Amino acid sequence: SSETFWTTTGMFPQEFIIGFPKCVKISKVAIQCYLGKTSCIAYCTLFFIISFKIYFLDLQHTEGQLQMEEFPLPDFQATYLRFIIKSAFDHFVSVHRVMAEGT
């Protein structure tokens, strides 16, 4: 729902993890958020999370509107996606939608 979102608590870094029922191949990730600055996506292919591989993202500032960023990624397989918000353009960040495209 576009009316719901996840928000940080005001300190950084903040993170959330999305899990898939099985390992999937991902070619692109899109994120819709507000006031995010530097983030990274970490991914893991194991059923039990032991370690994550990290891909860094820089978000463009958009005054007064949601940021909508798409990041083509090299095809990789993941069971979990971990989003880490490292910094923001303000004290809080809201994440409204995350989409992973692939098979």
Side-chain angles (χ1 to χ4, degrees), residues 6 37 43 61 66 77 79 83 94:
W6 175 84
K37 185 175 184 179
Y43 57 97
H61 183 60
L66 291 176
Q77 294 183 347
T79 306
F83 292 82
S94 60

Side-chain angles (χ1 to χ4, degrees), residues 41-55:
I41 298 172
Y43 57 97
C44 177
T45 59
L46 303 173
F47 183 71
F48 295 104
I49 301 172
I50 296 172
S51 65
F52 284 93
K53 297 176 184 176
I54 296 178
Y55 184 82

Side-chain angles (χ1 to χ4, degrees), residues 4-20:
T4 62
F5 56 89
W6 175 84
T7 187
T8 62
T9 59
M11 297 181 67
F12 297 98
Q14 296 275 308
E15 66 181 64
F16 59 94
I17 297 175
I18 297 174
F20 299 103

Side-chain angles (χ1 to χ4, degrees), residues 11-79:
M11 297 181 67
F12 297 98
Q14 296 275 308
E15 66 181 64
F16 59 94
I17 297 175
I18 297 174
F20 299 103
K22 63 179 183 174
C23 193
V24 295
K25 187 176 180 180
I26 298 172
S27 59
K28 179 172 64 174
V29 171
I31 188 166
Q32 187 177 36
C33 62
Y34 187 66
L35 296 174
K37 185 175 184 179
T38 305
S39 299
C40 57
I41 298 172
Y43 57 97
C44 177
T45 59
L46 303 173
F47 183 71
F48 295 104
I49 301 172
I50 296 172
S51 65
F52 284 93
K53 297 176 184 176
I54 296 178
Y55 184 82
F56 292 94
L57 313 170
D58 288 319
L59 302 170
Q60 300 298 316
H61 183 60
T62 56
E63 187 65 39
Q65 59 186 343
L66 291 176
Q67 298 159 284
M68 298 188 327
E69 300 280 348
E70 287 187 0
F71 301 95
L73 301 174
D75 287 336
F76 63 85
Q77 294 183 347
T79 306

